[in-house]
Amino acid sequence: MNPSPRDLAEMSAAIEGTEVAARQWLKAGFSPGDAAAYVRAGCFDVDRTEELRRVHITPSQIAALGLGWDFCAGKVSLAELLDFRMPQAGKTPMLW
């Protein structure tokens, strides 16, 4: 299903991005509000951001870590992010 011009305009405004980017976020099933929250947290890659959503890492959680950009750039792995949620023995857990 193709998004309506209104949906594209709303998403483009929410992410402060192009129509091409808006189409990607909409195709992935993000609402403008969720997409904007992830973008504000530093997430710029839709596919990588889908991975966050799939493992229930919210925009506020990734923002608190300050690792949205690093994750989307491939500098931090999903496994490393999940370590914050389920730390190994001797590590302080991330409370979220």
Side-chain angles (χ1 to χ4, degrees):
M1 179 172 97
N2 286 327
S4 72
R6 182 174 187 244
D7 290 340
L8 286 171
E10 187 178 340
M11 181 62 83
S12 293
I15 63 170
E16 298 180 16
T18 65
E19 185 176 301
V20 171
R23 282 184 191 280
Q24 292 173 333
W25 287 98
L26 288 167
K27 183 178 177 185
F30 286 93
S31 70
D34 284 345
Y38 277 111
V39 168
R40 282 191 304 272
C43 298
F44 59 87
D45 182 277
V46 177
D47 293 333
R48 300 277 294 182
T49 305
E50 279 186 291
E51 290 180 50
L52 297 176
R53 183 174 61 179
R54 193 170 26 256
V55 297
H56 308 288
I57 296 177
T58 67
S60 61
Q61 291 168 335
I62 195 71
L65 291 173
L67 296 174
W69 191 93
D70 289 328
F71 174 72
C72 284
K75 295 178 182 241
V76 174
S77 71
L78 186 59
E80 290 171 309
L81 289 178
L82 292 174
D83 275 348
F84 287 108
R85 293 177 78 181
M86 299 168 57
Q88 298 169 350
K91 290 187 178 179
T92 305
M94 183 71 177
L95 301 175
W96 38 336

